[in-house]
Amino acid sequence: MQVENQKNGKSLYNAIETDKGVLLFSKTKEGRKLFHDYLGLFMDNLYNPRCNNTYFNIHRVESGDPALREKCDIALKFPDRHLPLKIPVGEECFTGMDVLKESVEVMVSGWEPTPRQIQWITDPYEGVHIPICGDTFDISTLQEIAAGVSYNRLLLSGTMRRFSYEKEFLELAKKTDQCMDATEAGNLRGKAKALAAELLERDFPDIRKVAEAPVKEKIPSEYGESDYLKKDGDGCYNAIEIYKGVLLFSRTREGKESFQKTLETYLDNFYNPACENICFNLHYIECDSNALKGMSDLALKFPMAQQREFPISPGFFLDKNVLKYSLQEAKFSWTPNPDSINKLQNHWLDNAFLPIRGDTYNISILQEIATGKDLYLSNLAMHGIGGFKYNNDFKELADTALSYSGHIHQYKVTGAIQEKAAELLKRDFPLIRREERPFVKNKIPVVQTPPQKKKSMGL
């Protein structure tokens, strides 16, 4: 076998984590091939009842521990027992979860046998092609057609040759494409759905089904305002939803601390141009699921992975499908203005207000002063604004403005206060995230034309 790749004196490994343990692979030519072969094996058996994992995470590990060399590429070291690869994977091939403490990159996935989950698993992981073929490709395609998803364009374009049932659906696709009658086209689509359901029942009667946990009734009050949020332990979670997906945290002591730190990270970076959120929603989730246990508190489980930098690595996010178990939510706009900050700042969560401080706090107050929305004259003149970095810059001007109360000169001084705030914003925060204004197209001028006379029967 080739010599392993090295980085900063450490060996590099790929790893596949399931609830059964970790499969570890060297970055040698043979190790990479084995890694890809295992990815293909798992994907080919997504619907196999014997492949009953509940989650499926992919890692890159950097470690100087020589003991890891003995734990990787087990199938190659014992080919008579483990090659060719088969399901279920032999227990000897797995190693303990402790090897993941040095994971520097992770992509988190559930393991539900659905077309949606296949898309989630195969889309985001850069540099790794996870092949979808065989039964998995056929079953997922049939499931989508049976659910009403149209594959007509793909069938007619000739790109569905991997689909074992291409011929059965191609004729229907041609008829639908040529049909001009809406009712008949609807009947043809119904035939495609019925055919897909029939083929699933005939050829794949024993596929693994989605093990759905029960979805509970939503709690009527807003997230953070109910005693239900005092419920801790297994099956209870906090979640942060942004457009990328969902970060999940257990309601254990450690999980709640990690949730709090992540909240602070986002709120401290509210005006950071690298924070391109458009929404920031908080959820309380109850669900007794092994998959969720495996996909929560990832910053604690994989402390070496890229989670201290900002923005948080996309690999830590879950599919938003997990939010079907959300019992409460609080929705916040992520528009960079003081109104959004005030709503966040006044939200009560677990017996405390959300932490708005540092640059976020200073910028929002300066923006309010600069726009004249709130000049904070009494606070700035007397004892200052709590936690505000620029109290001394405004105290003298605020004192003067109050001494001129009711006099015409007061407006000159308040104008100077607004200019001072705008100056400080420009000087200290020139690169803050701005509110994106919607692009409005210029209206095309409408030219009025006189109505034409109807043609007579003789013309």
Side-chain angles (χ1 to χ4, degrees):
M1 295 175 67
Q2 295 178 350
V3 178
E4 295 177 49
N5 293 342
Q6 294 282 321
K7 182 178 180 182
N8 301 324
K10 295 184 176 182
S11 295
L12 306 181
Y13 303 90
N14 288 318
I16 298 173
E17 175 201 0
T18 75
D19 43 343
K20 306 290 190 297
V22 178
L23 297 168
L24 194 65
F25 308 91
S26 68
K27 287 274 195 170
T28 63
K29 180 180 179 181
E30 296 86 353
R32 288 174 188 268
K33 182 180 183 306
L34 185 63
F35 172 55
H36 285 80
D37 288 348
Y38 264 110
L39 290 176
L41 178 74
F42 277 109
M43 290 311 301
D44 289 350
N45 286 275
L46 180 69
Y47 290 91
N48 186 338
R50 291 185 294 169
C51 188
N52 57 350
N53 303 318
T54 57
Y55 61 93
F56 180 81
N57 302 336
I58 300 173
H59 297 261
R60 183 166 63 88
V61 174
E62 294 179 7
S63 176
D65 184 357
L68 264 59
R69 295 174 189 169
E70 300 303 317
K71 298 179 179 180
C72 67
D73 303 337
I74 299 296
L76 296 179
K77 292 171 182 174
F78 304 99
D80 54 326
R81 279 178 272 177
H82 303 296
L83 293 179
L85 301 179
K86 57 185 176 298
I87 291 292
V89 176
E91 291 185 9
E92 184 183 9
C93 294
F94 289 98
T95 187
M97 299 287 188
D98 59 315
V99 303
L100 298 178
K101 64 188 177 186
E102 295 180 276
S103 167
V104 295
E105 188 176 337
V106 58
M107 186 195 83
V108 180
S109 299
W111 194 243
E112 296 85 12
T114 63
R116 177 190 177 99
Q117 190 62 45
I118 291 170
Q119 197 70 36
W120 176 258
I121 292 172
T122 55
D123 273 357
Y125 200 70
E126 295 179 2
V128 176
H129 172 64
I130 303 179
I132 307 298
C133 51
D135 285 352
T136 297
F137 186 80
D138 288 339
I139 294 169
S140 61
T141 303
L142 288 172
Q143 285 180 333
E144 289 198 300
I145 295 173
V149 177
S150 174
Y151 272 77
N152 288 350
R153 260 186 208 175
L154 293 173
L155 287 162
L156 293 171
S157 66
T159 57
M160 290 293 289
R161 294 194 178 108
R162 283 186 299 158
F163 185 39
S164 300
Y165 302 92
E166 180 189 24
K167 291 180 181 178
E168 284 87 337
F169 288 92
L170 186 57
E171 194 60 37
L172 278 172
K174 289 177 180 177
K175 288 180 180 179
T176 306
D177 185 58
Q178 295 166 2
C179 183
M180 303 299 291
D181 181 81
T183 303
E184 181 58 25
N187 290 335
L188 290 169
R189 287 192 293 270
K191 286 181 180 179
K193 290 170 65 175
L195 176 59
E198 180 186 332
L199 291 170
L200 280 169
E201 184 65 29
R202 186 192 76 187
D203 294 350
F204 306 102
D206 300 320
I207 61 174
R208 188 167 70 99
K209 309 291 185 182
V210 179
E212 286 284 358
V215 177
K216 300 180 181 179
E217 187 176 346
K218 287 188 178 294
I219 300 168
S221 57
E222 189 172 276
Y223 176 65
E225 298 178 358
S226 168
D227 287 343
Y228 277 81
L229 282 186
K230 295 176 183 176
K231 190 173 178 180
D232 296 334
D234 282 350
C236 302
Y237 303 90
N238 290 321
I240 298 173
E241 174 199 0
I242 67 168
Y243 76 99
K244 288 180 181 177
V246 178
L247 296 169
L248 195 65
F249 307 86
S250 68
R251 291 281 300 177
T252 61
R253 180 178 62 82
E254 297 82 1
K256 287 195 283 188
E257 287 176 1
S258 181
F259 174 57
Q260 183 70 17
K261 287 178 183 177
T262 307
L263 271 179
E264 292 172 4
T265 299
Y266 272 105
L267 297 175
D268 290 350
N269 284 275
F270 191 84
Y271 287 96
N272 186 340
C275 186
E276 52 187 359
N277 296 335
I278 53 176
C279 69
F280 185 76
N281 304 333
L282 304 179
H283 295 262
Y284 170 66
I285 288 173
E286 283 187 18
C287 180
D288 187 14
S289 163
N290 286 330
L292 295 197
K293 290 175 188 176
M295 298 189 290
S296 64
D297 303 336
L298 299 181
L300 301 176
K301 293 173 182 173
F302 316 122
M304 299 293 291
Q306 183 196 356
Q307 47 91 14
R308 292 187 182 88
E309 300 177 11
F310 196 84
I312 292 171
S313 170
F316 280 90
F317 291 91
L318 310 185
D319 188 336
K320 290 190 181 183
N321 190 45
V322 72
L323 296 179
K324 65 187 174 187
Y325 301 113
S326 172
L327 297 189
Q328 286 184 304
E329 67 178 348
K331 293 189 175 182
F332 298 102
S333 166
W334 202 248
T335 307
N337 62 39
D339 289 336
S340 299
I341 295 293
N342 285 334
K343 187 180 177 188
L344 284 161
Q345 192 170 13
N346 291 320
H347 189 76
W348 185 259
L349 174 65
D350 270 0
N351 302 315
F353 287 107
L354 294 184
I356 306 294
R357 60 193 183 189
D359 286 351
T360 298
Y361 184 66
N362 289 319
I363 291 169
S364 64
I365 291 177
L366 286 173
Q367 284 181 334
E368 287 192 300
I369 296 173
T371 56
K373 183 177 180 181
D374 192 338
L375 294 173
Y376 295 96
L377 290 181
S378 298
N379 297 69
L380 290 168
M382 296 173 65
H383 45 71
I385 302 169
F388 184 46
K389 178 180 176 181
Y390 300 95
N391 282 317
N392 292 336
D393 294 89
F394 291 97
K395 180 168 174 44
E396 187 177 341
L397 284 169
D399 284 336
T400 305
L402 288 179
S403 68
Y404 281 125
S405 180
H407 194 278
I408 190 171
H409 290 306
Q410 181 186 19
Y411 301 105
K412 293 182 180 179
V413 181
T414 54
I417 290 174
Q418 289 179 246
E419 289 174 5
K420 182 70 174 177
E423 177 191 326
L424 290 170
L425 279 169
K426 187 175 181 180
R427 185 192 76 187
D428 294 350
F429 307 103
L431 300 176
I432 62 174
R433 188 168 65 100
R434 307 288 179 181
E435 182 176 358
E436 291 186 7
R437 301 289 180 183
F439 177 73
V440 180
K441 293 182 179 179
N442 293 326
K443 290 185 177 180
I444 301 171
V446 178
V447 179
Q448 296 290 340
T449 56
Q452 295 181 348
K453 293 181 179 180
K454 290 183 179 180
K455 293 181 179 181
S456 67
M457 294 294 292
L459 294 177

